[in-house]
Amino acid sequence: MIFDSHSHTKFSADSEMKAKDAMDAAEKLGIGIVFTEHIDFSYPGELDFTFSPKDYWKEYEPLRGKTLRLGVEMGLAPGEKEQAEAFIAEVPFDEVIGSIHLIDGHDIYEKDCYEGKTQDEMYRRYFSLMADMVRLHSYIDILGHIDYIARYAPYENTEIQYAVWKDGIDEVLRAVVETDTVLELNTRRFDAPIHFKNLVPIYKRYQELGGKYTSIGSDAHTPDVIGAHFAVAEQFAEACGLVPVTFEARKMQILK
């Protein structure tokens, strides 16, 4: 059974999705699902991107089983390793995704993050920070959405082009391989062929450097997005020589 290994319910500050609705949507598709609620300790905006692990576990653990796993998406930022490790030690999470949502204290979603900076400067900083954080936060299971910045950057062409930022991307991929981290295939931007075509050389390079596995995640915040574009994602993974996986009790499971 394939798993949607990246989704957000009401425990994430930017989602109101109910657990039952998410599970019903996954069941209709015949897939499993992992809830991966947001944690960004130093988020600079008004929303509170934290939650109580014990409250989360108390409410959702009775639902956990063959088709539902409970995880967290940890925003990776300098100076927060000990705080992050203490957080994930509070309950027995199934899976920990590590993601870059902030650059030097600024939210990638907000335009002020890019003020006065060229695309080349921002993308090189993004990849440099990502590589450093993967190595520092080696407790993570999965590196989330390597193309996250392409969703929101205000430049004319936001696509991550391997040929342009090869050195920075390779450093991220080496960090992922060296730390036995899985590179996520996030389907959030698979609504247009150009979005995932630009990812092909990145994931093929990951495989060349020793990467073997990928997790597939919709990054759903609403039930209608769960499992979106998964048929294309599975074909993508196969074409790149990667095996889809998920996690249970922090142990990798190969999906068939």
Side-chain angles (χ1 to χ4, degrees):
M1 175 188 294
I2 199 72
F3 266 74
D4 186 336
S5 293
H6 188 157
S7 67
H8 300 277
T9 75
K10 64 178 185 178
F11 277 89
S12 292
D14 57 353
S15 175
E16 296 180 359
M17 183 161 62
K18 297 178 181 178
K20 184 181 185 304
D21 292 342
M23 294 176 70
D24 286 348
E27 184 178 7
K28 287 179 181 178
L29 295 171
I31 65 176
I33 189 168
V34 186
F35 295 162
T36 51
E37 312 300 351
H38 279 300
I39 286 290
D40 271 282
F41 295 116
S42 55
Y43 181 72
E46 294 181 1
L47 293 177
D48 180 7
F49 277 97
T50 63
F51 65 92
S52 164
K54 289 184 171 58
D55 289 346
Y56 175 60
W57 209 256
K58 181 180 179 180
E59 183 166 347
Y60 285 171
E61 197 278 334
L63 305 174
R64 181 171 171 252
K66 184 178 179 181
T67 59
L68 174 66
R69 311 283 166 73
L70 302 179
V72 60
E73 182 182 12
M74 186 71 63
L76 305 181
E80 296 181 0
K81 180 184 177 183
E82 291 184 3
Q83 188 177 10
E85 289 178 328
F87 180 93
I88 63 174
E90 287 196 44
V91 295
F93 287 108
D94 287 303
E95 172 186 290
V96 178
I97 298 176
S99 298
I100 300 296
H101 296 128
L102 309 176
I103 297 179
D104 300 326
H106 295 277
D107 184 358
I108 290 172
Y109 178 82
E110 301 292 344
K111 284 188 170 53
D112 67 355
C113 182
Y114 307 89
E115 288 181 0
K117 299 181 180 68
T118 67
Q119 182 177 14
D120 189 63
E121 289 172 332
M122 285 300 296
Y123 279 41
R124 289 188 187 282
R125 176 58 181 149
Y126 174 71
F127 292 125
S128 174
L129 178 65
M130 186 178 290
D132 288 346
M133 292 300 99
V134 169
R135 288 194 170 96
L136 181 64
H137 296 256
S138 56
Y139 60 83
I140 65 174
D141 303 309
I142 296 167
L143 173 63
H145 43 51
I146 193 171
D147 61 335
Y148 182 75
I149 197 170
R151 296 184 193 175
Y152 308 115
Y155 307 110
E156 184 176 354
N157 178 6
T158 66
E159 293 302 315
I160 290 175
Q161 300 175 61
Y162 179 72
V164 177
W165 294 291
K166 177 181 182 296
D167 291 346
I169 293 170
D170 274 359
E171 197 59 30
V172 171
L173 300 180
R174 289 192 181 96
V176 168
V177 172
E178 290 167 9
T179 56
D180 291 323
T181 303
V182 171
L183 183 63
E184 178 188 67
L185 185 56
N186 191 292
T187 66
R188 177 75 170 266
R189 302 177 65 249
F190 272 37
D191 56 330
I194 187 64
H195 294 162
F196 59 79
K197 283 183 179 178
N198 277 292
L199 293 176
V200 171
I202 296 173
Y203 284 76
K204 285 189 173 180
R205 179 60 172 158
Y206 167 58
Q207 194 271 343
E208 289 174 0
L209 290 172
K212 298 178 181 179
Y213 307 107
T214 186
S215 66
I216 302 177
S218 66
D219 210 348
H221 290 64
T222 55
D224 58 300
V225 181
I226 290 168
H229 313 297
F230 268 38
V232 175
E234 290 183 73
Q235 293 171 4
F236 182 109
E238 184 176 0
C240 293
L242 301 173
V243 178
V245 300
T246 194
F247 286 81
E248 181 178 18
R250 306 298 305 280
K251 293 182 180 179
M252 189 174 71
Q253 291 187 329
I254 293 176
L255 302 176
K256 299 179 180 180

